Amino acid sequence: MKSLIFILLACSIAFSCADSEPIAEKNNKNTVLFPEVSAPIQLVDNGKEHLYASYYGINSFSANQRYATVLETDIVDRLPTEDDEATLGLVDLETMDFKPLTTTRAWNFQQGCMAHWLATSPDSLIIYNDLREGAFVSVIMNVHTQEEIKTIPHPVSAVSPDGTKAISINFSRLRITRSDYGYGGEGQDKKEDVQFPEDDGLFLLDLATGEAELIVSMADVKDLVPEIPEDGIEYFNHTLFSRGGSKIFWLARAIPNRNTTSLIVNIDGTGLQRCFPDDWAGSHFDWLNDEELMVTSSYEGKQYSHVLYTTGKQDYKRLGNGLLDFDGHGTFSPDEKWMVTDTYARENKFREQKIYLMDMKTNAVRTLGQFVTPESFRGYWRCDIHCRWSPNGDMIGFNSVHSGSRQAYLLKLKF
């Protein structure tokens, strides 16, 4: 079979890519056809800062791929507070117009306001977080009429694939344990004096009724996580439903030393288990299906890698044939054929953040681009690349500051 690989070429001081010559990539006697990739397309250019309105790996696009959810802000070099409103809006990907929808006071630079398109009406309904009357809530909105359909008295951190359920965690507790992932304000009870609360943890929300059920408390995981000192407290972060919606992955962490345990549970609260042996920890993640998920973790306690884990089998596989042995934000394409991931600026002296695409069949890896991040974007207001796939798998959205400001970008793929 004759196969060609086309590599993006877009050279500037801020951004550079691999060689543009057509080449054939062979891996284990298999020829891999990588897609043609467009130059990065900046979604909004109006003098303000922009980022996708959710965490990496979360779909930011309507089902018809006409619109993307984006946050607009004037904040650049500090943590947003409860007094800092960000504008949640839609970018029309045909006209590149930005349409403001509403404002939110429950947002951060890493995860936006956790906006999700709802599968119950995937071209018109979204859910996002806000701070209202002193409490963190989630709001379901029709983006075309701007009508608020429902306000749910709990913030969301993940939404089920069918759009009927969500996971809620304590964003006020996050503010004191992992500040750049929490929200400003007193929107929830931090329970900062309790190491392992029995009444706080992982809540399953019914988006039709707004009711919340605690399915795993922090007290439930006490015997599964490393011991913490007297002045430390446990917290939950980074939740994600499996692709079929039957399981939930999340990270249990603690301060002051931020030890990490990767956990999964069935949506009814049964089957609570650790993913890894001691010392493997965990950082970033995505479900490939209902049984397999990728977690960047310390493989065999030695080296952070993109590790594919099969639930219930204690079966682990390093992805990327040694080329992806770092802590990246890996996420799988809708057809499960590809994984896109990224690097941190700290990985090299040039402060370049790179995007890699891996073929799941052969583990062949290609660079899609490298983006220089200025020195000023560090710490709590850093800008991670945070890739996300479009529903058809022919676009990848990402955030970058290579132009000198925080902006949302798009790569178009042609297979």
Side-chain angles (χ1 to χ4, degrees):
M1 178 180 71
K2 185 177 180 180
S3 299
L4 295 178
I5 303 168
F6 298 88
I7 306 299
L8 170 64
L9 176 64
C11 296
S12 68
I13 294 177
F15 167 74
S16 64
C17 287
D19 188 356
S20 63
E21 293 294 321
I23 56 177
E25 174 69 24
K26 292 188 177 181
N27 184 290
N28 296 328
K29 299 183 180 180
N30 294 307
T31 303
V32 182
L33 179 63
F34 279 82
E36 283 186 66
V37 185
S38 74
I41 301 166
Q42 185 173 325
L43 296 194
V44 189
D45 186 10
N46 62 6
K48 295 189 176 183
E49 309 277 314
H50 299 89
L51 63 151
Y52 282 100
S54 59
Y55 198 33
Y56 88 95
I58 295 173
N59 174 43
S60 293
F61 306 96
S62 57
N64 59 13
Q65 301 199 154
R66 176 70 183 269
Y67 302 101
T69 50
V70 170
L71 281 184
E72 181 176 88
T73 179
D74 293 320
I75 307 300
V76 178
D77 56 0
R78 61 175 174 82
L79 276 175
T81 72
E82 63 270 28
D83 297 321
D84 294 318
E85 290 185 338
T87 298
L88 173 60
L90 285 186
V91 176
D92 186 325
L93 299 181
E94 292 187 4
T95 66
M96 306 309 280
D97 293 327
F98 179 76
K99 174 187 176 182
L101 296 175
T102 187
T103 60
T104 175
R105 293 188 294 136
W107 67 281
N108 54 53
F109 286 124
Q110 296 307 306
Q111 297 181 326
C113 58
M114 293 304 284
H116 290 70
W117 290 88
L118 293 180
T120 50
S121 188
D123 286 319
S124 60
L125 293 185
I126 62 170
I127 187 170
Y128 66 94
N129 291 337
D130 197 4
L131 174 63
R132 297 188 177 182
E133 298 180 359
F136 294 138
V137 301
S138 53
V139 182
I140 297 176
M141 171 183 280
N142 184 308
V143 298
H144 303 300
T145 65
Q146 293 179 246
E147 176 190 3
E148 293 188 1
I149 308 299
K150 182 179 299 183
T151 299
I152 296 171
H154 308 277
V156 298
S157 67
V159 175
S160 64
D162 65 4
T164 65
K165 302 177 184 65
I167 291 297
S168 184
I169 57 176
N170 193 329
F171 286 93
S172 286
R173 194 174 178 91
L174 273 175
R175 188 68 168 192
I176 62 171
T177 56
R178 190 83 194 278
S179 299
D180 41 344
Y181 287 85
Y183 300 145
E186 301 295 327
Q188 289 167 282
D189 181 0
K190 296 187 289 289
K191 304 182 189 301
E192 57 187 317
D193 296 328
V194 185
Q195 282 195 318
F196 292 91
E198 295 183 353
D199 57 351
D200 193 13
L202 212 63
F203 291 87
L204 183 69
L205 303 183
D206 184 323
L207 296 184
T209 65
E211 295 179 353
E213 176 189 2
L214 181 63
I215 59 172
V216 180
S217 73
M218 293 181 201
D220 290 334
V221 308
K222 185 174 182 179
D223 294 336
L224 298 176
V225 303
E227 186 176 350
I228 60 178
E230 288 187 7
D231 61 341
I233 61 173
E234 195 76 12
Y235 65 97
F236 287 175
N237 196 11
H238 297 323
T239 66
L240 188 67
F241 285 89
S242 60
R243 293 210 172 192
S246 67
K247 297 182 179 68
I248 301 158
F249 169 88
W250 81 104
L251 298 180
R253 284 177 163 163
I255 57 171
N257 52 6
R258 209 181 106 177
N259 59 61
T260 301
T261 304
S262 300
L263 298 167
I264 59 173
V265 71
N266 298 324
I267 62 169
D268 63 0
T270 63
L272 173 63
Q273 60 181 283
R274 298 197 311 174
C275 296
F276 300 118
D278 292 341
D279 302 323
W280 284 45
S283 183
H284 301 109
F285 50 91
D286 192 26
W287 287 92
L288 181 61
N289 47 56
D290 261 30
E291 302 301 328
E292 296 174 292
L293 72 153
M294 184 285 303
V295 185
T296 54
S297 57
S298 183
Y299 187 78
E300 295 181 347
K302 300 175 182 177
Q303 169 70 47
Y304 254 76
S305 306
H306 292 67
V307 180
L308 190 67
Y309 165 58
T310 303
T311 64
K313 293 185 178 180
Q314 305 300 304
D315 181 45
Y316 309 104
K317 175 185 177 183
R318 281 170 61 210
L319 298 176
N321 293 322
L323 297 177
L324 301 183
D325 287 345
F326 54 84
D327 183 13
H329 301 84
T331 183
F332 298 111
S333 61
D335 62 7
E336 304 177 11
K337 293 181 179 179
W338 305 92
M339 184 181 75
V340 66
T341 192
D342 60 11
T343 66
Y344 286 104
R346 64 173 180 258
E347 302 291 344
N348 59 70
K349 295 180 181 180
F350 302 104
R351 291 191 59 77
E352 292 173 336
Q353 296 170 287
K354 300 178 182 179
I355 299 178
Y356 293 108
L357 184 66
M358 189 193 78
D359 172 55
M360 288 298 294
K361 183 177 180 181
T362 64
N363 275 225
V365 176
R366 277 290 171 194
T367 305
L368 298 188
Q370 51 200 52
F371 304 84
V372 175
T373 183
E375 289 280 347
S376 58
F377 289 92
R378 288 181 176 271
Y380 290 155
W381 47 88
R382 71 188 183 279
C383 180
D384 295 343
I385 291 290
H386 282 176
C387 292
R388 69 228 37 233
W389 291 90
S390 67
N392 294 342
D394 57 358
M395 297 190 297
I396 295 173
F398 67 98
N399 299 315
S400 179
V401 290
H402 66 270
S403 68
S405 65
R406 187 187 310 268
Q407 300 297 336
Y409 292 89
L410 193 66
L411 296 176
K412 292 187 176 181
L413 311 181
K414 183 179 180 181
F415 292 92

